[in-house]
């Protein structure tokens, strides 16, 4: 067991890092460009998050607006179809004195029309 305890003690001492040796003023000054790079990455990451949130809100409002326009389109389309029915047209123009035809339309024939049919 003494052998194992000494091996574990040696491993623990080798795993222990002396931070004072790594964090001195020369090391910090030497790595300033890397710290600036990390700061720029952090700013870009935050900007990207805000931009994606804004974009998601814009998409949601646009989808809502499109649905409203779709409802308006369907309403207007059904109204136009209803008003273009023959019975509805007769009802609307009746106050103007116009009435629907009770007999079939008359076709007019001219001499030039009969000559072209004969040839």
């Amino acid at each position: 067991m003494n052998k194992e305890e000494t091996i574990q003690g040696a491993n623990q001492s080798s795993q222990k890092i002396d931070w004072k040796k790594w964090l001195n003023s020369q090391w910090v000054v030497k790595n300033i460009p890397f710290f600036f790079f990390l700061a720029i990455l952090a700013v870009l990451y935050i900007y990207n998050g805000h931009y994606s949130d804004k974009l998601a809100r814009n998409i949601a409002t646009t989808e809502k607006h499109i649905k409203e326009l779709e409802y308006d389109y369907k309403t207007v389309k059904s109204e136009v179809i209803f008003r273009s029915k023959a019975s509805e047209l007769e009802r609307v123009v009746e106050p103007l004195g116009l009435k629907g035809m009770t007999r079939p339309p008359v076709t007019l024939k001219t001499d030039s029309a009969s000559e072209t049919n004969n040839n």
Side-chain angles (χ1 to χ4, degrees):
M1 289 264 190
N2 280 340
K3 231 180 194 183
E4 290 178 15
E5 289 176 7
T6 55
I7 291 173
Q8 286 178 351
N11 285 341
Q12 287 176 356
S13 64
S14 66
Q15 289 177 353
K16 192 173 185 180
I17 298 173
D18 188 20
W19 290 106
K20 290 181 183 179
K21 184 170 83 172
W22 288 96
L23 292 176
N24 58 23
S25 61
Q26 291 175 346
W27 182 84
V28 171
V29 170
K30 182 177 149 186
N31 289 309
I32 284 179
F34 181 68
F35 293 138
F36 281 136
F37 174 71
L38 291 179
I40 289 171
L41 282 180
V43 168
L44 288 175
Y45 184 75
I46 292 169
Y47 169 77
N48 190 28
H50 287 293
Y51 180 74
S52 64
D53 289 342
K54 182 180 175 183
L55 192 61
R57 283 193 302 271
N58 285 343
I59 289 171
T61 55
T62 304
E63 284 178 350
K64 185 178 177 183
H65 185 68
I66 287 173
K67 283 194 180 225
E68 289 175 5
L69 290 175
E70 193 175 331
Y71 295 145
D72 290 343
Y73 166 75
K74 288 179 180 178
T75 303
V76 169
K77 182 179 175 183
S78 66
E79 188 175 321
V80 166
I81 289 173
F82 175 73
R83 288 186 180 202
S84 65
K85 291 193 312 188
S87 60
E88 186 64 22
L89 285 173
E90 287 177 7
R91 187 184 67 79
V92 171
V93 297
E94 191 174 357
L96 299 173
L98 300 174
K99 294 183 181 178
M101 294 181 59
T102 56
R103 54 189 172 147
V106 177
T107 55
L108 301 175
K109 295 181 182 177
T110 61
D111 291 335
S112 63
S114 61
E115 289 176 9
T116 55
N117 288 339
N118 291 336
N119 291 336

